[in-house]
Amino acid sequence: MTTLVFGHKSPDTDSTGSPIIWAWYLNQIKGEDAKPVLLGEPNTEAAFMLDHWKLDKPEIISDVAADQPVVIVDTNNPAELPTAINSADIRAIIDHHKLVGGLETKGPIEIRIEPVACTATIMWKMIGDDLAQAPTGIKGAMLSCILSDTLEFRSPTTTQEDKAIAYSLAEDLGVSIPDFAAQMFAAKSNVSAFSDAELLRMDSKEYEIEGTKFRVSVLETTSPKMVLDRKDSLMASMPEVATEDGVHQVLLFVVDILNEEATMLIPNDLTRTVAEKSFGATVTGDTVVLPGIMSRKKQIIPNLKL
Amino acid sequence: MTTLVFGHKSPDTDSTGSPIIWAWYLNQIKGEDAKPVLLGEPNTEAAFMLDHWKLDKPEIISDVAADQPVVIVDTNNPAELPTAINSADIRAIIDHHKLVGGLETKGPIEIRIEPVACTATIMWKMIGDDLAQAPTGIKGAMLSCILSDTLEFRSPTTTQEDKAIAYSLAEDLGVSIPDFAAQMFAAKSNVSAFSDAELLRMDSKEYEIEGTKFRVSVLETTSPKMVLDRKDSLMASMPEVATEDGVHQVLLFVVDILNEEATMLIPNDLTRTVAEKSFGATVTGDTVVLPGIMSRKKQIIPNLKL
């Protein structure tokens, strides 16, 4: 049976590119039968990556069958995976997020989790010298994943390994990192086609503080104005999205990639309290700028207080 | 703060040796401050390993303080770890068991789980060329762990990697594998000092089938007669151990390492049903021989039926 390789729901560049990279490796190097799939429509940056490197858009699946062989990449969180994930035959997990708990495997399998910025960085290390056999598209996907997850090395999640591997790939591909990253971020920043609810869910993780559930949403953009011009209708959509998703409140952080700061929307007292207690911010209007805040994983989630 | 490195409760050779190996690596190669500890008294084979390679017996701890930096080896199961494990600062996990779920980490950490027979095998690969700097005792501990977990390559959990690494270590150390394994297994088989309850808990994992909880205990020995001569008192002790440990029934498999078979004790109808349904055995008395059964992980647990 073909092994399905996939990342998390609401696929970003790493969750779109890493399955393609790993399925290539399993097929071409390991001689296995593997296929990359997606758990949803890729975001605009991921779509740009597919287009730029002439990669086929993977099929989108909604769930997995029992005993389906799967490889999970870029997450270990059951909430971000198909409902039936624990009935599947999980063959391997490659990830760079904290261990959440909840995934179970039937037997011992290969699990590689490392505290680097990007799944593709770990894959680069695992593939080793065999990468020489990879076509341009696979190397291009790797570079795209690293530049995306590190925000071109601006994110505090960036490690020396991510950086060195990205430089090595760019050299090999003859790509200028600043030019290519600018194209990627422009693609990601083009959010005009999305509804408010789609924007609030596009890059989002649930997090609970003392029994209060939050949807912590981030929009990384080089054009924060494009999002912030819509702040009134975004804030108006928050209660409905929260209710539908079973959380108390949506928190939206608009990350300005180039200026290295985040703007948090403050629709009500609850979000104002969170902004003040978590980031020591002084809130006067319905938005607040948080200088230096770029990473949900390293800077937002660990500091959230109520 | 010193990082504590430990394996599972009721430490066997791999859970005693692997923390020593990894603490050496962190101290001597990575320049960190680390210390191996145990979550209980090592079994007789592990004690033989310490003595043979002149390794200090690690301190035994009963729990971990909040925010204590720890590295977990040879398990990922919270039930086999200190009560406060999820409040500790888990820095890394190196293991070869199935993912159980339940461990959570505060941030992304290094996790390496591979489907090999032994934790030390994974460490050998991670340490790489730096192993040349290891003293004899560290290499000896590695060899001991692999021979123990593979039952000198007889267990079906054995992979080509485990075997190749063991041969390479034995060559380097000038050790005859058959002679050394025989000494280890003789040490493990010397169970005269243990009470029945201690034997039933010595190498044991909980497993639940359709709401019925079992303590699945294995005794690997080259002298099965030494254990089976005590079968009446072992069976008499099972109800009390089961009650104390909150399970319905203890299952005891006496694994004959040299003859590659297990003898299961059959104290009652429940265990007879399990033996018949799980292994297709025909039970006539209060024991039943299961030819070829050596591994709880590969052969016992996956087949258990009620």
Side-chain angles (χ1 to χ4, degrees), chain B residues 120-138:
Chain B
T121 301
I122 306 169
M123 291 180 174
W124 187 93
K125 293 164 66 182
M126 294 176 80
I127 294 173
D129 291 341
D130 291 323
L131 190 67
Q133 300 177 48
T136 300
I138 296 300

Side-chain angles (χ1 to χ4, degrees), chain A residues 98-100 105 107 111-113, chain B residues 99 104-105 107 111-113:
Chain A
K98 69 176 183 169
L99 193 64
V100 172
T105 65
I111 302 181
R112 274 281 282 259
I113 303 182
Chain B
L99 194 62
E104 292 168 33
T105 64
I111 302 182
R112 273 283 279 259
I113 303 182

Side-chain angles (χ1 to χ4, degrees), chain A residues 76 93-99 111-119 121-126 157 159 161-162 165 297, chain B residues 91 93 107-112 126:
Chain A
N76 68 81
I93 302 171
I94 306 169
D95 186 24
H96 63 114
H97 294 89
K98 69 176 183 169
L99 193 64
I111 302 181
R112 274 281 282 259
I113 303 182
E114 294 187 24
V116 292
C118 176
T119 308
T121 300
I122 306 170
M123 292 180 174
W124 186 93
K125 293 165 66 181
M126 293 175 81
T157 59
T159 67
E161 279 187 323
D162 297 295
I165 291 168
K297 188 198 269 186
Chain B
R91 296 284 177 92
I93 302 171
I109 63 164
E110 177 151 32
I111 302 182
R112 273 283 279 259
M126 294 176 80

Side-chain angles (χ1 to χ4, degrees), chain A:
Chain A
M1 198 153 38
T2 306
T3 300
L4 300 182
V5 186
F6 49 79
H8 55 71
K9 292 178 185 171
S10 302
D12 56 7
T13 300
D14 197 24
S15 260
T16 303
S18 294
I20 294 174
I21 296 162
W22 202 247
W24 167 81
Y25 177 65
L26 292 180
N27 281 311
Q28 300 302 318
I29 304 294
K30 305 291 274 185
E32 297 176 22
D33 181 18
K35 182 179 139 179
V37 294
L38 295 172
L39 302 186
E41 201 61 49
N43 72 13
T44 50
E45 186 188 73
F48 166 81
M49 170 189 68
L50 294 174
D51 187 54
H52 184 90
W53 298 108
K54 299 185 177 51
L55 296 163
D56 290 333
K57 182 176 139 186
E59 185 189 326
I60 297 174
I61 62 165
S62 54
D63 207 347
V64 288
D67 299 320
Q68 166 68 51
V70 305
V71 171
I72 299 169
V73 303
D74 196 29
T75 181
N76 68 81
N77 187 347
E80 300 179 344
L81 288 163
T83 315
I85 192 66
N86 273 328
S87 74
D89 178 11
I90 306 172
R91 297 285 177 91
I93 302 171
I94 306 169
D95 186 24
H96 63 114
H97 294 89
K98 69 176 183 169
L99 193 64
V100 172
L103 276 191
E104 293 169 31
T105 65
K106 293 180 177 46
I109 64 163
E110 178 151 30
I111 302 181
R112 274 281 282 259
I113 303 182
E114 294 187 24
V116 292
C118 176
T119 308
T121 300
I122 306 170
M123 292 180 174
W124 186 93
K125 293 165 66 181
M126 293 175 81
I127 293 172
D129 291 342
D130 290 324
L131 191 67
Q133 300 177 47
T136 300
I138 296 300
K139 295 175 185 170
M142 274 188 170
L143 177 61
S144 305
C145 292
I146 300 176
L147 294 177
S148 171
D149 269 4
T150 62
L151 299 173
E152 199 190 353
F153 318 133
R154 292 178 182 91
S155 168
T157 59
T158 311
T159 67
Q160 290 307 314
E161 279 187 323
D162 297 295
K163 217 165 161 171
I165 291 168
Y167 279 121
S168 149
L169 288 163
E171 175 70 26
D172 187 4
L173 290 162
V175 164
S176 153
I177 285 183
D179 291 353
F180 182 61
Q183 288 179 64
M184 284 179 46
F185 298 152
K188 176 152 54 183
S189 303
N190 183 9
V191 295
S192 54
F194 298 102
S195 70
D196 293 322
E198 283 169 337
L199 284 189
L200 292 175
R201 290 182 175 121
M202 187 168 282
D203 183 358
S204 184
K205 295 202 192 275
E206 283 188 19
Y207 187 73
E208 190 172 325
I209 316 171
E210 297 163 23
T212 304
K213 284 186 184 170
F214 292 93
R215 185 175 260 292
V216 185
S217 298
V218 167
L219 284 176
E220 298 160 347
T221 177
T222 49
S223 310
K225 187 173 180 300
M226 197 170 178
V227 180
L228 294 172
D229 280 349
R230 290 167 64 173
K231 72 178 161 67
D232 291 342
S233 65
L234 281 165
M235 289 192 286
S237 299
M238 284 180 173
E240 193 176 331
V241 167
T243 304
E244 280 181 21
D245 297 353
V247 300
H248 292 88
Q249 178 67 47
V250 178
L251 305 177
L252 179 62
F253 298 83
V254 182
V255 171
D256 183 337
I257 300 175
L258 303 179
N259 290 312
E260 305 195 9
E261 64 184 25
T263 301
M264 182 180 172
L265 266 54
I266 309 291
N268 54 28
D269 286 350
L270 177 64
T271 48
R272 188 171 61 238
T273 305
V274 170
E276 290 173 349
K277 292 207 180 170
S278 308
F279 307 104
T282 308
V283 181
T284 50
D286 57 6
T287 61
V288 60
V289 173
L290 307 171
I293 300 293
M294 311 274 291
S295 164
R296 175 173 48 212
K297 188 198 269 186
K298 282 258 187 183
Q299 298 169 303
I300 297 174
I301 293 276
N303 286 318
L304 278 190
K305 285 177 207 73
L306 191 61

Side-chain angles (χ1 to χ4, degrees), chain B residues 33 46 87 102 110 199 203 285 305:
Chain B
D33 181 18
S87 75
E110 177 151 32
L199 284 189
D203 182 357
K305 286 177 206 74

Side-chain angles (χ1 to χ4, degrees), chain B residues 243-260:
Chain B
T243 305
E244 280 181 21
D245 297 353
V247 300
H248 291 88
Q249 178 67 47
V250 178
L251 305 177
L252 178 62
F253 298 84
V254 182
V255 171
D256 183 337
I257 301 175
L258 302 179
N259 290 310
E260 304 194 9

